[in-house]
Amino acid sequence: MPSPSFVLASVFVVSYAAFTATDSGAATEPVAILTQASGAHLDDQAASPGLSVFEGERVQTDSGGRASLRFGSSSLALLGSSEATLTRVSRGVHIDLSSGTVRFAANETQIVEVHAEDATIRSQDGRVSDATITILQPKVLQIEARRGSLDFTYRREFRMLPEGQVYRIYLDTPDRPDSEASAGGQIGVAGSKVAYYIVGAGAAGGIAWVTYAAIHGGNPPLSPTKP
């Protein structure tokens, strides 16, 4: 009959093996799959449809390029001259946008967070969302909430951005620049270091729903791992 110490050692070995296998599997699971890539790069290599994107890998587009990705039943796209990295979060994805523009469409079961210029833009839990975030210049963002309101956080400041509007947001400067004198209505500036302006209405009709419709259509076969 095996001694108690031998049995205990055996249980430890089996448990540790199971833990490391699970941890390794989680670490190697891709965050998203490239579904379109034109003038795009994954780290230092040319990107192509079907490639897996893992945590920490940089997706970058040239001027005029584009990269589209799918994660779960949701999707996102980087427009020209954009750069981002993706990280998995609970029930969704976190996008660190370094430059350019990202558009995402998420269903009500997934969360998308975009971190840009130290601000965080987050889709609301339980709501379908379709939004575009652009870094216009350092500390200046443009956010279009096509479908679903967005939660905006910058340092200790929080604001809900209702759907159907295009917002120009200046961080650390409550004064509207002269060049924006005709941009639109100013909202919620008193006592804040962040200036919010409504500069237009969100796109309507079929054009606004291209990305949203895509995530509810048929799912083409995607490569589960990087070739």
Side-chain angles (χ1 to χ4, degrees):
M1 180 177 179
S3 66
S5 59
F6 175 80
V7 173
L8 182 61
S10 299
V11 171
F12 173 79
V13 170
V14 172
S15 300
Y16 179 77
F19 171 79
T20 54
T22 302
D23 185 64
S24 176
T28 57
E29 185 178 354
V31 179
I33 303 292
L34 277 162
T35 58
Q36 178 184 348
S38 175
H41 307 273
L42 184 58
D43 282 343
D44 296 325
Q45 299 181 348
S48 59
L51 285 178
S52 298
V53 179
F54 295 88
E55 288 197 2
E57 290 188 315
R58 184 179 71 257
V59 182
Q60 188 174 14
T61 57
D62 300 331
S63 175
R66 182 184 177 91
S68 299
L69 304 94
R70 184 182 295 274
F71 54 98
S73 57
S74 302
S75 62
L76 65 92
L78 290 176
L79 304 188
S81 301
S82 300
E83 181 178 330
T85 57
L86 278 63
T87 305
R88 188 183 308 279
V89 296
S90 177
R91 295 190 301 110
V93 66
H94 176 93
I95 304 164
D96 282 301
L97 183 66
S98 303
S99 61
T101 298
V102 62
R103 180 176 180 182
F104 67 81
N107 64 24
E108 62 275 9
T109 65
Q110 291 189 298
I111 294 295
V112 179
E113 296 177 347
V114 178
H115 184 260
E117 294 296 303
D118 294 327
T120 300
I121 304 94
R122 188 177 190 269
S123 63
Q124 294 191 330
D125 195 14
R127 295 287 303 275
V128 171
S129 58
D130 183 353
T132 302
I133 294 92
T134 300
I135 299 176
L136 295 178
Q137 62 188 63
K139 297 299 182 180
V140 182
L141 303 176
Q142 182 159 301
I143 300 172
E144 183 174 359
R146 290 184 175 89
R147 169 82 176 203
S149 299
L150 302 170
D151 292 335
F152 177 87
T153 306
Y154 181 67
R155 297 179 181 172
R156 297 184 179 180
E157 179 160 345
F158 171 83
R159 175 171 290 275
M160 191 268 285
L161 304 178
E163 67 179 351
Q165 301 290 349
V166 180
Y167 302 90
R168 187 77 50 81
I169 299 178
Y170 296 87
L171 307 173
D172 297 329
T173 171
D175 300 321
R176 171 189 286 192
D178 293 339
S179 61
E180 296 296 326
S182 61
Q186 184 176 10
I187 59 172
V189 177
S192 170
K193 290 186 176 182
V194 181
Y196 305 82
Y197 301 98
I198 296 176
V199 297
I207 294 176
W209 290 99
V210 170
T211 309
Y212 172 68
I215 70 174
H216 290 276
N219 294 329
L222 299 175
S223 168
T225 58
K226 183 179 294 186

